[in-house]
């Protein structure tokens, strides 16, 4: 980059000054934060007294992986292993269980999963991976369903979860991963779900997909190789 030559008159000095000013916004940030990863909006450290909610546990339940806060901020919906919970978090302290609905993978899928050499003790379960607020009366949830992704609407009644009807469970390929360790992401915008995850059992076929709503389903084509096989969502 060529600096403007320094003239003797004050106009050139002024020009240099403005030139420097112009450069300012493009200077690299002073801090050493490095990459441009997502930044948390609020950050608390473990043991910080400002953390309003404390540890919650429920016998027999594990892998509380997916969280969704209700619009009014009073209910925290949690996707766990083979269950979805509604927790009352209106008051500080330990969240109170409002209700919980089971959503296990079917016995048939579990058997098939074990047959494909996956563990019936750690892997062949329904790990909830997507939990979004679909409209005023329904959540939308997806899970790994014993390596056979599935999705369903969950009806709400006064922020309580109503039981999932088995015949309302749909194919969830491209929305939830097959394997609970595969990366995934999903966001609902204007009634449409945009998801990114692995679209096959092996986890070698990344996909971005748009579903729900009135628009046709859109997805990336594996043969065009837009996404690298090791894409991380
Ligand atoms: C897993 O499968 C093994 C062998 O088929 C069986 O003995 C065991 O009870 C199963 N465990 C569970 C949790 O179903
Ligand atoms: C929300 O979506 C569900 C599932 O499509 C539908 O059955 C229900 O009528 C909708 N509720 C409202 C208030 O639009």
């Amino acid at each position: 980059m060529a600096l403007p030559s320094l003239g003797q008159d004050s106009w050139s000095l002024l020009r240099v000054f403005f030139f420097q000013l112009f450069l300012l916004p493009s200077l690299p940030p002073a801090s050493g934060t490095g990459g441009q990863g997502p930044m948390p909006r609020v950050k608390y450290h473990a043991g910080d007294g400002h953390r309003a909610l404390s540890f919650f546990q429920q016998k027999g339940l594990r892998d509380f992986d997916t969280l969704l806060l209700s619009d009014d901020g009073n209910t925290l919906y949690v996707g766990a292993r083979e269950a979805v919970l509604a927790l009352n978090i209106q008051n500080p302290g330990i969240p109170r269980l409002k209700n919980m609905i089971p959503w296990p993978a079917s016995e048939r899928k579990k058997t098939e999963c074990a047959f494909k050499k996956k563990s019936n003790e750690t892997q062949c379960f329904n790990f909830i991976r997507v939990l979004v607020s679909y409209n005023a009366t329904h959540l939308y949830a997806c899970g790994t369903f014993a390596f056979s992704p599935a999705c369903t609407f969950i009806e709400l009644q006064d922020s309580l979860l109503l039981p999932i009807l088995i015949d309302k469970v749909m194919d969830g390929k491209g929305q939830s991963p097959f394997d609970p360790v595969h990366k995934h992401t999903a966001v609902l915008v204007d009634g449409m779900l945009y998801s990114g995850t692995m679209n096959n059992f092996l986890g070698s076929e990344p996909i971005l997909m748009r579903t729900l709503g009135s628009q046709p389903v859109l997805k990336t084509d594996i043969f065009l190789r837009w996404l690298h096989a090791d894409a991380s969502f």
Side-chain angles (χ1 to χ4, degrees):
M1 170 179 54
L3 283 170
S5 61
L6 285 172
Q8 297 307 309
D9 59 292
S10 52
W11 279 114
S12 334
L13 283 175
L14 210 62
R15 229 171 56 218
V16 172
F17 174 72
F18 277 116
F19 185 71
Q20 297 289 347
L21 209 67
F22 179 70
L23 280 181
L24 275 180
S26 61
L27 291 176
S31 67
T33 48
Q36 303 186 333
M39 294 293 290
R41 273 172 290 179
V42 186
K43 210 155 82 178
Y44 293 115
H45 295 284
D48 185 327
H50 294 98
R51 282 162 58 108
L53 294 173
S54 55
F55 194 67
F56 171 87
Q57 59 181 338
Q58 180 78 7
K59 207 166 182 283
L61 283 186
R62 47 183 297 166
D63 302 300
F64 300 94
D65 292 332
T66 309
L67 304 176
L68 170 69
L69 190 63
S70 67
D71 285 340
D72 63 8
N74 289 336
T75 306
L76 184 66
Y77 298 104
V78 181
R81 191 174 97 171
E82 311 238 282
V84 183
L85 293 74
L87 302 178
N88 182 338
I89 57 162
Q90 244 172 315
N91 303 310
I94 300 175
R96 215 165 39 76
L97 182 64
K98 275 184 165 177
N99 85 319
M100 181 194 110
I101 51 168
W103 189 23
S106 64
E107 282 310 316
R108 188 169 66 85
K109 292 295 182 192
K110 285 185 176 181
T111 309
E112 286 173 13
C113 176
F115 187 72
K116 292 176 194 161
K117 297 282 181 278
K118 295 295 175 186
S119 165
N120 66 346
E121 313 247 321
T122 58
Q123 296 176 301
C124 295
F125 296 100
N126 189 23
F127 295 86
I128 311 301
R129 287 292 174 262
V130 176
L131 193 59
V132 293
S133 177
Y134 182 66
N135 61 21
T137 55
H138 286 73
L139 305 182
Y140 184 73
C142 305
T144 59
F145 216 76
F147 281 74
S148 179
C151 294
T152 190
F153 288 100
I154 301 176
E155 194 173 350
L156 298 174
Q157 209 167 66
D158 301 327
S159 69
L160 289 180
L161 304 155
L162 297 187
I164 291 167
L165 307 170
I166 289 165
D167 62 341
K168 291 279 163 62
V169 174
M170 306 160 280
D171 180 27
K173 253 176 78 147
Q175 298 175 68
S176 163
F178 285 63
D179 190 324
V181 305
H182 290 161
K183 295 285 190 352
H184 66 97
T185 191
V187 62
L188 191 93
V189 181
D190 296 335
M192 290 176 277
L193 187 82
Y194 296 82
S195 55
T197 190
M198 290 298 174
N199 197 30
N200 63 345
F201 185 87
L202 291 176
S204 56
E205 201 185 301
I207 187 171
L208 291 175
M209 191 169 169
R210 184 188 74 188
T211 46
L212 301 183
S214 52
Q215 302 286 322
V217 169
L218 268 187
K219 51 186 165 185
T220 50
D221 188 330
I222 181 71
F223 297 107
L224 294 178
R225 299 188 183 281
W226 285 345
L227 297 166
H228 286 287
D230 62 351
S232 179
F233 301 99

